[in-house]
Amino acid sequence: MAPKRTKKQSPPFDPDGMFAGMAVFLAENGVQPRRLQIWKQKLEQMGASIEDRLSKKVTHVFAMNSDSLLKQIGRERLSRFKGSVLLYKWLEDSLSIGEKVSEAPFVLALKSGAAAASSKKSLEETGSKGADGHDSSDVETSEHKRIRTSPEYHKTVSSEDTASAVNNDAYTGSDDLSAPLVPVNSSPTTPDSLNKTVGTSDSSLPYSPPDQNQNITEIFGKLMNIYRALGDDRRSFSYSKAIAVIEKLPFRIESVDQVKHLPAIGKSMQDHIQEIVNTGKLSKLEHFETDEKVRTISLFGEVWGIGPATALKLYEKGHRTLEDLKNDDSLTNSQRLGLKYFDDIKTRIPRHEVQEMEHLLQNAAEEILPGVMVVCGGSYRRGKASCGDLDIVITHPDGKSHIGFLRKYVKHLKDIKFLREDLVFSIHSEEPFPTEYNKLQGTDAGVDTYFGLYTYPGRELRHRIDLKVYPRDIYAFGLIAWTGNDVLNRRYAHFIF
């Protein structure tokens, strides 16, 4: 718990602020009282009025999910409401960027009473089992049942699919490591149907608290990347650990005394934080950004396939820009692809697009091998709003059908113009099962791997994708590893691998 701070004067009320004209009703179920208090304060300061009951005056209702909303307001009353019913995530995202975001992805719709009753009866008749045979209480734990919202405004969702009250600020994934995070349909994926597949799935938006100390975490993130490019993994990891702690704090840091007791915030980090709080910048980062060698090696290290040693060699050859690298004959084919699509690869992928691709990949996999399990891990599975790439983890429940699957899968994804360029392709599933020594060494024995570039249907922009096919008996460990983050993987590597 942070030490008490000197009370500061609240920002002035702005009647023409960002939320001017909004009359808001806040559903309190499932919301921490302190967080609710902050949201009320922000809304009122920026022009909104807070209503204590649902009336004709209300323009917007906010809730954690449909379950918590229905506990507070009856379905019949909600059916008569003509305003917008949104997830609190809309409010968080709007506050984070300083302007109102589109309401469409955050609309919280409800099925009619008859449809909801039918869904409930169906669930009871199947013994509370999901479509894949997993117990629903395992697949969707209390801290991470999916919140279904619609990018198409009025697509309905079942209350059985919504999140239960979130009790912690930190997001945690499902306890059932084998369960796909989203349902799939059985429609075949072909070149003609590829564009029809996307844009039809509901967006999964797990609750994730806003980063109230982005001024600090952004600077630390730059230092983390610089040290990684320089090959200093120890320092890079130190900043990574500090970021993971700071970005989850429920308060804005105004004094280093508030955080000096926290893990990963040692004396050096404390000094950095104090300087950023006092000045808004960090002299250490400014020094790095003006040093030609550091700046150049960091730039080269951002090219996919170029590590610290190669980046240093390229610098010593006299290269200073990405344009210089295009004429270097020593680059591998993968590095040339990383250079060619440098800007594309660095472009973040919105969360709703990642979910659409997970649906597409599951459908395509089912056409080749019925029953195959395809899960998108990485920052998507950790609940982030955008991802740097797709980390896809695959297995089959029977423990043997996964062998030889990846070759057929990659070919099919190329045939439908989804996969475009290959970076890495290695097959190990047909090798003898790994010895205990190889397991301890963390080799890829038994695991098939494909790294490449894909395009979202209808575009030419390249994004990175990693496909990993695991034997069923070690799939859970692979899913943990490819969900990450790097702090978790490093800390528990001896358990995961």
Side-chain angles (χ1 to χ4, degrees):
M1 185 175 181
K4 290 185 178 179
R5 293 170 285 171
T6 303
K7 188 173 182 180
K8 292 183 66 178
Q9 187 175 359
S10 299
F13 168 72
D14 181 4
D16 299 317
M18 178 165 56
F19 303 121
M22 291 175 58
V24 177
F25 176 83
L26 302 176
E28 299 179 1
N29 282 338
V31 186
Q32 293 179 348
R34 173 58 180 159
R35 187 165 297 280
L36 189 66
Q37 180 185 353
I38 292 173
W39 282 333
K40 286 182 177 179
Q41 181 185 40
K42 294 292 185 183
L43 284 163
E44 290 178 330
Q45 287 173 351
M46 298 182 186
S49 63
I50 306 298
E51 304 298 322
D52 57 6
R53 64 187 183 89
L54 187 61
S55 65
K56 293 181 179 180
K57 184 178 179 181
V58 174
T59 62
H60 291 75
V61 171
F62 290 100
M64 287 299 295
N65 50 68
S66 59
D67 280 346
S68 60
L69 181 58
L70 288 170
K71 288 177 182 178
Q72 189 166 343
I73 303 175
R75 186 183 297 274
E76 185 177 347
R77 287 184 64 197
L78 280 173
S79 67
R80 297 196 300 267
F81 179 62
K82 304 301 182 182
S84 300
V85 182
L86 305 176
L87 290 165
Y88 277 116
K89 190 71 168 61
W90 178 88
L91 181 56
E92 288 183 352
D93 287 3
S94 298
L95 289 170
S96 177
I97 67 173
E99 62 182 41
K100 289 195 289 187
V101 300
S102 170
E103 294 182 1
F106 304 94
V107 171
L108 185 57
L110 301 170
K111 280 186 178 179
S112 66
S118 175
S119 297
K120 184 175 182 180
K121 181 179 179 182
S122 175
L123 188 64
E124 290 170 350
E125 288 174 350
T126 57
S128 297
K129 297 287 183 180
D132 59 357
H134 292 287
D135 190 292
S136 61
S137 63
D138 291 333
V139 176
E140 295 184 307
T141 63
S142 63
E143 284 193 334
H144 183 44
K145 293 183 182 178
R146 263 72 68 206
I147 298 175
R148 313 281 184 195
T149 59
S150 172
E152 296 182 5
Y153 287 78
H154 299 297
K155 187 173 289 183
T156 58
V157 291
S158 168
S159 62
E160 279 79 18
D161 286 335
T162 57
S164 62
V166 178
N167 297 317
N168 297 312
D169 281 345
Y171 161 81
T172 56
S174 169
D175 288 339
D176 186 342
L177 297 177
S178 64
L181 289 188
V182 294
V184 297
N185 57 54
S186 57
S187 58
T189 306
T190 64
D192 292 334
S193 67
L194 188 59
N195 288 318
K196 299 177 183 178
T197 303
V198 302
T200 59
S201 62
D202 295 327
S203 299
S204 176
L205 292 168
Y207 175 77
S208 182
D211 182 359
Q212 298 198 46
N213 296 285
Q214 196 170 358
N215 57 328
I216 298 172
T217 56
E218 283 188 352
I219 290 175
F220 281 9
K222 291 177 181 179
L223 287 170
M224 177 187 71
N225 292 332
I226 287 172
Y227 279 120
R228 181 180 295 159
L230 295 176
D232 192 335
D233 289 339
R234 183 183 64 83
R235 283 193 173 88
S236 177
F237 185 52
S238 294
Y239 285 104
S240 178
K241 288 193 295 182
I243 291 170
V245 171
I246 295 170
E247 68 181 358
K248 291 182 174 64
L249 293 177
F251 56 87
R252 184 172 179 82
I253 301 172
E254 296 177 350
S255 169
V256 74
D257 292 335
Q258 296 171 257
V259 296
K260 64 182 181 182
H261 63 288
L262 296 176
I265 310 297
K267 182 62 170 64
S268 178
M269 293 296 174
Q270 292 174 30
D271 292 342
H272 290 347
I273 291 171
Q274 192 64 64
E275 183 180 348
I276 296 170
V277 169
N278 291 341
T279 68
K281 55 188 180 181
L282 187 64
S283 56
K284 183 175 186 177
L285 176 61
E286 291 181 336
H287 168 73
F288 278 143
E289 290 179 335
T290 57
D291 184 284
E292 182 187 59
K293 182 177 180 179
V294 172
R295 188 174 66 249
T296 304
I297 292 176
S298 297
L299 174 64
F300 292 168
E302 293 180 23
V303 177
W304 196 92
I306 295 181
T310 302
L312 178 59
K313 289 179 181 177
L314 293 170
Y315 174 81
E316 291 174 343
K317 282 185 176 183
H319 299 316
R320 296 295 181 268
T321 67
L322 296 180
E323 195 66 31
D324 294 342
L325 299 185
K326 293 180 180 179
N327 300 318
D328 193 295
D329 295 334
S330 68
L331 296 185
T332 66
N333 182 61
S334 294
Q335 290 167 345
R336 290 192 177 281
L337 287 171
L339 182 61
K340 179 179 180 180
Y341 296 108
F342 179 82
D343 291 329
D344 286 16
I345 292 172
K346 285 177 66 67
T347 302
R348 303 286 294 180
I349 312 168
R351 182 175 181 82
H352 70 89
E353 288 188 11
V354 178
Q355 187 178 27
E356 290 168 2
M357 296 304 95
E358 187 182 41
H359 276 278
L360 182 153
L361 290 165
Q362 176 72 54
N363 292 339
E366 288 275 358
E367 292 170 25
I368 300 170
L369 180 60
V372 67
M373 299 164 62
V374 178
V375 174
C376 185
S379 52
Y380 171 75
R381 196 165 187 265
R382 298 199 305 274
K384 298 296 184 180
S386 65
C387 305
D389 60 4
L390 300 189
D391 295 308
I392 307 298
V393 188
I394 304 168
T395 194
H396 195 279
D398 68 9
K400 57 184 179 182
S401 297
H402 68 281
I403 298 175
F405 167 76
L406 189 58
R407 283 196 182 95
K408 299 175 185 176
Y409 192 41
V410 168
K411 181 180 183 303
H412 180 47
L413 292 174
K414 287 181 177 179
D415 289 343
I416 62 175
K417 308 300 182 186
F418 180 77
L419 293 180
R420 307 301 288 270
E421 286 84 22
D422 304 332
L423 297 173
V424 174
F425 201 170
S426 62
I427 302 295
H428 297 287
S429 62
E430 298 166 8
E431 298 174 353
F433 191 80
T435 64
E436 291 300 318
Y437 172 78
N438 283 340
K439 287 189 210 175
L440 292 173
Q441 295 302 305
T443 68
D444 260 349
V447 181
D448 295 341
T449 299
Y450 174 87
F451 296 164
L453 303 178
Y454 80 91
T455 54
Y456 185 90
R459 301 181 196 159
E460 286 301 312
L461 185 73
R462 263 57 168 180
H463 292 299
R464 282 265 300 105
I465 185 170
D466 298 340
L467 304 174
K468 299 287 286 190
V469 181
Y470 281 87
R472 184 65 181 86
D473 55 357
I474 61 172
Y475 166 71
F477 303 104
L479 185 56
I480 292 173
W482 285 87
T483 296
N485 58 16
D486 58 344
V487 175
L488 179 143
N489 287 348
R490 285 173 180 258
R491 185 170 294 169
Y492 299 109
H494 55 297
F495 295 117
I496 293 174
F497 299 106

